[in-house]
Amino acid sequence: MCGSLVVEFLLTTLTRFPTDFYIIFRTIFRSEVRDIPMFEYQAEPFDTCYANPDNIELHFPIVKLYFGSVDSSHELVLAQERVVLKIHGLYCLAFIGWKQAFSILGINQLQGVGLTFDTSANTLDFDVDACD
């Protein structure tokens, strides 16, 4: 999806996508999570949460975000702990939709990620776990 990206460091925990993009993203995510029961009630602001009544180890898909082009030099790979949040005993997708036409990366996804802004090349590079 084309559009602008705003990197937000302090004001939002969750990544926010434009609603139309979020619906596609959420649908694909849900289709990849096959063996974990989805919680039947929404836990605002989340609309995709999973229960773990048997307290077993859960595995969720990783998410790759690409910036500029689809190659590894412009990607941010988000492991499970950056994709879902454990809240009130539920595992909820840590992304939400909103009515704006741009996306904001939340601190849940950026925690521990080193960011390099190259203003001469107009690029943004990510170094996952650089700040651990």
Side-chain angles (χ1 to χ4, degrees):
M1 167 171 276
C2 296
S4 60
L5 169 74
V6 174
V7 178
E8 182 68 42
F9 296 102
L10 300 173
L11 298 177
T12 185
T13 301
L14 309 171
T15 290
R16 297 167 189 267
F17 290 140
T19 302
D20 57 343
F21 180 81
Y22 173 72
I23 290 169
I24 295 166
F25 174 79
R26 178 190 66 196
T27 300
I28 294 169
F29 181 84
R30 287 177 176 178
S31 73
E32 294 294 318
V33 179
R34 295 182 184 98
D35 298 327
I36 304 170
M38 198 158 145
F39 190 65
E40 62 184 278
Y41 304 103
Q42 291 188 12
E44 290 293 330
F46 306 102
D47 63 4
T48 302
C49 294
Y50 298 89
N52 188 10
D54 299 327
N55 203 27
I56 60 172
E57 186 175 350
L58 301 177
H59 300 281
F60 291 94
I62 63 166
V63 170
K64 293 181 181 181
L65 302 175
Y66 292 95
F67 299 87
S69 63
V70 180
D71 73 53
S72 61
S73 67
H74 295 91
E75 74 178 1
L76 174 58
V77 178
L78 302 175
Q80 177 171 308
E81 62 274 4
R82 290 185 172 102
V83 175
V84 295
L85 283 174
K86 186 174 181 183
I87 185 163
H88 305 298
L90 300 173
Y91 293 83
C92 297
L93 182 61
F95 298 79
I96 57 176
W98 71 337
K99 294 180 182 181
Q100 302 299 322
F102 57 89
S103 298
I104 296 179
L105 291 175
I107 59 174
N108 189 69
Q109 286 71 36
L110 292 175
Q111 184 174 354
V113 175
L115 299 174
T116 303
F117 297 95
D118 184 342
T119 55
S120 63
N122 199 26
T123 61
L124 172 63
D125 293 315
F126 302 93
D127 187 7
V128 176
D129 299 326
C131 304
D132 287 349

